[in-house]
């Protein structure tokens, strides 16, 4: 029985390996076609909504309820550089970079999020 079992196991090993390689290749193809959507930054203020790619470094001035907030996009991340609010919580929130990350300056009515 030991010899027959070993002979049977070899073709099954190859079949399992082939299926594994096939599933892995299909996963990579799916991610390549559906997973390469560029992350973007959505900035909302009381006056308007703006959309910028996170791939291009820039500094953006957004007019809010109290004045101008400055938002920086750098190396795939975005953060508040300055804002006219009194407590500066938005500046201390840090950078957003992953999908659904957000930061806000509530007194100035400026909200940023990553899509």
């Amino acid at each position: 029985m030991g010899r027959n079992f070993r002979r049977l196991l070899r073709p099954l090993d190859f079949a399992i390996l082939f299926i594994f390689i096939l599933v892995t290749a299909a996963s990579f193809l799916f991610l390549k076609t559906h997973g390469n959507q560029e992350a973007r930054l959505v900035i909302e203020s009381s006056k308007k909504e703006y959309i910028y790619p996170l791939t291009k470094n820039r500094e953006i001035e957004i007019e809010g309820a109290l004045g101008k907030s400055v938002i920086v996009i750098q190396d795939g991340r975005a953060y508040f550089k300055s804002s006219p609010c009194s407590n500066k919580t938005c500046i201390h929130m840090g950078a957003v970079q992953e999908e659904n990350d957000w930061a806000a300056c509530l007194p100035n009515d400026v909200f940023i999020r990553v899509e």
Side-chain angles (χ1 to χ4, degrees):
M1 181 170 161
R3 288 183 183 180
N4 288 339
F5 183 70
R6 285 188 208 154
R7 289 182 189 159
L8 181 63
L9 191 59
R10 285 188 175 186
L12 285 177
D13 287 342
F14 288 116
I16 291 170
L17 181 62
F18 177 74
I19 291 170
F20 176 75
I21 291 171
L22 189 65
V23 168
T24 302
S27 298
F28 279 118
L29 286 174
F30 178 80
L31 289 175
K32 184 170 182 153
T33 57
H34 292 91
N36 67 350
Q37 296 174 350
E38 188 175 275
R40 57 190 195 159
L41 181 71
V42 177
I43 304 172
E44 297 175 17
S45 75
S46 57
K47 304 187 192 268
K48 202 171 178 183
E49 180 177 285
Y50 308 88
I51 299 174
Y52 297 95
L54 280 176
T55 54
K56 184 177 178 186
N57 295 345
R58 64 179 78 200
E59 193 170 291
I60 307 156
E61 291 184 356
I62 302 296
E63 190 67 40
L66 301 176
K68 290 184 182 180
S69 288
V70 178
I71 298 162
V72 174
I73 299 175
Q74 185 175 11
D75 302 327
R77 303 165 19 140
Y79 59 91
F80 280 90
K81 180 179 179 182
S82 66
S83 197
C85 58
S86 60
N87 58 7
K88 309 293 184 201
T89 303
C90 54
I91 296 170
H92 300 295
M93 288 184 81
V96 296
Q97 62 186 9
E98 300 293 327
E99 186 176 0
N100 298 322
D101 282 353
W102 62 271
C105 180
L106 295 178
N108 200 28
D109 198 20
V110 177
F111 181 80
I112 64 174
R113 74 177 187 279
V114 177
E115 287 186 345

PDB file of all heavy atoms in Angstrom, residues 22-37:
ATOM      1  N   LEU A  22      -2.276  28.883 -10.566  1.00  0.00           N
ATOM      2  CA  LEU A  22      -3.365  29.471 -11.339  1.00  0.00           C
ATOM      3  C   LEU A  22      -4.138  30.507 -10.518  1.00  0.00           C
ATOM      4  O   LEU A  22      -4.410  31.612 -11.002  1.00  0.00           O
ATOM      5  CB  LEU A  22      -4.302  28.367 -11.824  1.00  0.00           C
ATOM      6  CG  LEU A  22      -5.378  28.759 -12.821  1.00  0.00           C
ATOM      7  CD1 LEU A  22      -4.740  29.213 -14.131  1.00  0.00           C
ATOM      8  CD2 LEU A  22      -6.301  27.586 -13.067  1.00  0.00           C
ATOM      9  N   VAL A  23      -4.459  30.184  -9.273  1.00  0.00           N
ATOM     10  CA  VAL A  23      -5.181  31.110  -8.406  1.00  0.00           C
ATOM     11  C   VAL A  23      -4.325  32.338  -8.104  1.00  0.00           C
ATOM     12  O   VAL A  23      -4.806  33.474  -8.108  1.00  0.00           O
ATOM     13  CB  VAL A  23      -5.635  30.406  -7.106  1.00  0.00           C
ATOM     14  CG1 VAL A  23      -6.114  31.396  -6.068  1.00  0.00           C
ATOM     15  CG2 VAL A  23      -6.715  29.382  -7.418  1.00  0.00           C
ATOM     16  N   THR A  24      -3.031  32.135  -7.858  1.00  0.00           N
ATOM     17  CA  THR A  24      -2.131  33.256  -7.588  1.00  0.00           C
ATOM     18  C   THR A  24      -2.037  34.185  -8.800  1.00  0.00           C
ATOM     19  O   THR A  24      -2.120  35.414  -8.660  1.00  0.00           O
ATOM     20  CB  THR A  24      -0.732  32.735  -7.202  1.00  0.00           C
ATOM     21  OG1 THR A  24      -0.860  31.881  -6.066  1.00  0.00           O
ATOM     22  CG2 THR A  24       0.201  33.878  -6.877  1.00  0.00           C
ATOM     23  N   ALA A  25      -1.895  33.630  -9.979  1.00  0.00           N
ATOM     24  CA  ALA A  25      -1.811  34.449 -11.195  1.00  0.00           C
ATOM     25  C   ALA A  25      -3.119  35.208 -11.426  1.00  0.00           C
ATOM     26  O   ALA A  25      -3.100  36.395 -11.781  1.00  0.00           O
ATOM     27  CB  ALA A  25      -1.491  33.563 -12.393  1.00  0.00           C
ATOM     28  N   ALA A  26      -4.243  34.555 -11.200  1.00  0.00           N
ATOM     29  CA  ALA A  26      -5.531  35.230 -11.372  1.00  0.00           C
ATOM     30  C   ALA A  26      -5.680  36.373 -10.369  1.00  0.00           C
ATOM     31  O   ALA A  26      -6.198  37.440 -10.702  1.00  0.00           O
ATOM     32  CB  ALA A  26      -6.673  34.232 -11.219  1.00  0.00           C
ATOM     33  N   SER A  27      -5.190  36.182  -9.150  1.00  0.00           N
ATOM     34  CA  SER A  27      -5.258  37.245  -8.137  1.00  0.00           C
ATOM     35  C   SER A  27      -4.417  38.439  -8.547  1.00  0.00           C
ATOM     36  O   SER A  27      -4.851  39.590  -8.405  1.00  0.00           O
ATOM     37  CB  SER A  27      -4.776  36.725  -6.781  1.00  0.00           C
ATOM     38  OG  SER A  27      -5.601  35.691  -6.329  1.00  0.00           O
ATOM     39  N   PHE A  28      -3.217  38.199  -9.035  1.00  0.00           N
ATOM     40  CA  PHE A  28      -2.360  39.298  -9.475  1.00  0.00           C
ATOM     41  C   PHE A  28      -2.988  40.048 -10.648  1.00  0.00           C
ATOM     42  O   PHE A  28      -2.937  41.277 -10.700  1.00  0.00           O
ATOM     43  CB  PHE A  28      -0.968  38.805  -9.851  1.00  0.00           C
ATOM     44  CG  PHE A  28      -0.069  38.589  -8.681  1.00  0.00           C
ATOM     45  CD1 PHE A  28       0.434  37.332  -8.403  1.00  0.00           C
ATOM     46  CD2 PHE A  28       0.282  39.634  -7.846  1.00  0.00           C
ATOM     47  CE1 PHE A  28       1.258  37.129  -7.307  1.00  0.00           C
ATOM     48  CE2 PHE A  28       1.103  39.448  -6.753  1.00  0.00           C
ATOM     49  CZ  PHE A  28       1.596  38.190  -6.485  1.00  0.00           C
ATOM     50  N   LEU A  29      -3.573  39.331 -11.594  1.00  0.00           N
ATOM     51  CA  LEU A  29      -4.224  39.992 -12.719  1.00  0.00           C
ATOM     52  C   LEU A  29      -5.409  40.832 -12.259  1.00  0.00           C
ATOM     53  O   LEU A  29      -5.612  41.952 -12.730  1.00  0.00           O
ATOM     54  CB  LEU A  29      -4.688  38.959 -13.748  1.00  0.00           C
ATOM     55  CG  LEU A  29      -3.595  38.329 -14.594  1.00  0.00           C
ATOM     56  CD1 LEU A  29      -4.171  37.218 -15.464  1.00  0.00           C
ATOM     57  CD2 LEU A  29      -2.919  39.377 -15.454  1.00  0.00           C
ATOM     58  N   PHE A  30      -6.181  40.317 -11.311  1.00  0.00           N
ATOM     59  CA  PHE A  30      -7.312  41.074 -10.791  1.00  0.00           C
ATOM     60  C   PHE A  30      -6.835  42.350 -10.101  1.00  0.00           C
ATOM     61  O   PHE A  30      -7.380  43.423 -10.321  1.00  0.00           O
ATOM     62  CB  PHE A  30      -8.117  40.218  -9.817  1.00  0.00           C
ATOM     63  CG  PHE A  30      -9.271  40.956  -9.204  1.00  0.00           C
ATOM     64  CD1 PHE A  30     -10.442  41.121  -9.907  1.00  0.00           C
ATOM     65  CD2 PHE A  30      -9.175  41.494  -7.939  1.00  0.00           C
ATOM     66  CE1 PHE A  30     -11.514  41.814  -9.368  1.00  0.00           C
ATOM     67  CE2 PHE A  30     -10.236  42.193  -7.376  1.00  0.00           C
ATOM     68  CZ  PHE A  30     -11.410  42.355  -8.093  1.00  0.00           C
ATOM     69  N   LEU A  31      -5.809  42.238  -9.260  1.00  0.00           N
ATOM     70  CA  LEU A  31      -5.286  43.411  -8.564  1.00  0.00           C
ATOM     71  C   LEU A  31      -4.683  44.416  -9.529  1.00  0.00           C
ATOM     72  O   LEU A  31      -4.782  45.627  -9.326  1.00  0.00           O
ATOM     73  CB  LEU A  31      -4.264  42.998  -7.513  1.00  0.00           C
ATOM     74  CG  LEU A  31      -4.829  42.293  -6.290  1.00  0.00           C
ATOM     75  CD1 LEU A  31      -3.700  41.830  -5.377  1.00  0.00           C
ATOM     76  CD2 LEU A  31      -5.775  43.204  -5.531  1.00  0.00           C
ATOM     77  N   LYS A  32      -4.061  43.918 -10.577  1.00  0.00           N
ATOM     78  CA  LYS A  32      -3.451  44.840 -11.535  1.00  0.00           C
ATOM     79  C   LYS A  32      -4.508  45.634 -12.296  1.00  0.00           C
ATOM     80  O   LYS A  32      -4.333  46.816 -12.550  1.00  0.00           O
ATOM     81  CB  LYS A  32      -2.574  44.060 -12.514  1.00  0.00           C
ATOM     82  CG  LYS A  32      -1.833  44.944 -13.464  1.00  0.00           C
ATOM     83  CD  LYS A  32      -0.811  44.190 -14.248  1.00  0.00           C
ATOM     84  CE  LYS A  32      -0.103  45.185 -15.132  1.00  0.00           C
ATOM     85  NZ  LYS A  32       1.211  44.813 -15.470  1.00  0.00           N
ATOM     86  N   THR A  33      -5.618  45.012 -12.619  1.00  0.00           N
ATOM     87  CA  THR A  33      -6.644  45.724 -13.376  1.00  0.00           C
ATOM     88  C   THR A  33      -7.574  46.533 -12.487  1.00  0.00           C
ATOM     89  O   THR A  33      -8.085  47.566 -12.897  1.00  0.00           O
ATOM     90  CB  THR A  33      -7.486  44.748 -14.217  1.00  0.00           C
ATOM     91  OG1 THR A  33      -8.070  43.775 -13.355  1.00  0.00           O
ATOM     92  CG2 THR A  33      -6.640  44.077 -15.272  1.00  0.00           C
ATOM     93  N   HIS A  34      -7.808  46.090 -11.259  1.00  0.00           N
ATOM     94  CA  HIS A  34      -8.758  46.781 -10.385  1.00  0.00           C
ATOM     95  C   HIS A  34      -8.097  47.529  -9.236  1.00  0.00           C
ATOM     96  O   HIS A  34      -8.711  48.379  -8.621  1.00  0.00           O
ATOM     97  CB  HIS A  34      -9.768  45.792  -9.797  1.00  0.00           C
ATOM     98  CG  HIS A  34     -10.681  45.229 -10.820  1.00  0.00           C
ATOM     99  ND1 HIS A  34     -10.394  44.073 -11.501  1.00  0.00           N
ATOM    100  CD2 HIS A  34     -11.866  45.668 -11.299  1.00  0.00           C
ATOM    101  CE1 HIS A  34     -11.369  43.814 -12.339  1.00  0.00           C
ATOM    102  NE2 HIS A  34     -12.276  44.764 -12.244  1.00  0.00           N
ATOM    103  N   GLY A  35      -6.871  47.206  -8.922  1.00  0.00           N
ATOM    104  CA  GLY A  35      -6.234  47.786  -7.750  1.00  0.00           C
ATOM    105  C   GLY A  35      -5.315  48.958  -8.034  1.00  0.00           C
ATOM    106  O   GLY A  35      -4.693  49.485  -7.139  1.00  0.00           O
ATOM    107  N   ASN A  36      -5.213  49.383  -9.273  1.00  0.00           N
ATOM    108  CA  ASN A  36      -4.277  50.462  -9.585  1.00  0.00           C
ATOM    109  C   ASN A  36      -4.957  51.819  -9.687  1.00  0.00           C
ATOM    110  O   ASN A  36      -4.409  52.728 -10.267  1.00  0.00           O
ATOM    111  CB  ASN A  36      -3.516  50.139 -10.877  1.00  0.00           C
ATOM    112  CG  ASN A  36      -4.412  50.135 -12.094  1.00  0.00           C
ATOM    113  OD1 ASN A  36      -5.620  50.183 -11.985  1.00  0.00           O
ATOM    114  ND2 ASN A  36      -3.804  50.050 -13.254  1.00  0.00           N
ATOM    115  N   GLN A  37      -6.143  51.929  -9.143  1.00  0.00           N
ATOM    116  CA  GLN A  37      -6.806  53.218  -9.180  1.00  0.00           C
ATOM    117  C   GLN A  37      -6.045  54.189  -8.289  1.00  0.00           C
ATOM    118  O   GLN A  37      -5.692  53.870  -7.170  1.00  0.00           O
ATOM    119  CB  GLN A  37      -8.248  53.078  -8.724  1.00  0.00           C
ATOM    120  CG  GLN A  37      -9.054  52.205  -9.663  1.00  0.00           C
ATOM    121  CD  GLN A  37     -10.447  51.945  -9.132  1.00  0.00           C
ATOM    122  OE1 GLN A  37     -10.752  52.259  -8.004  1.00  0.00           O
ATOM    123  NE2 GLN A  37     -11.271  51.351  -9.958  1.00  0.00           N
TER     124      GLN A  37
END
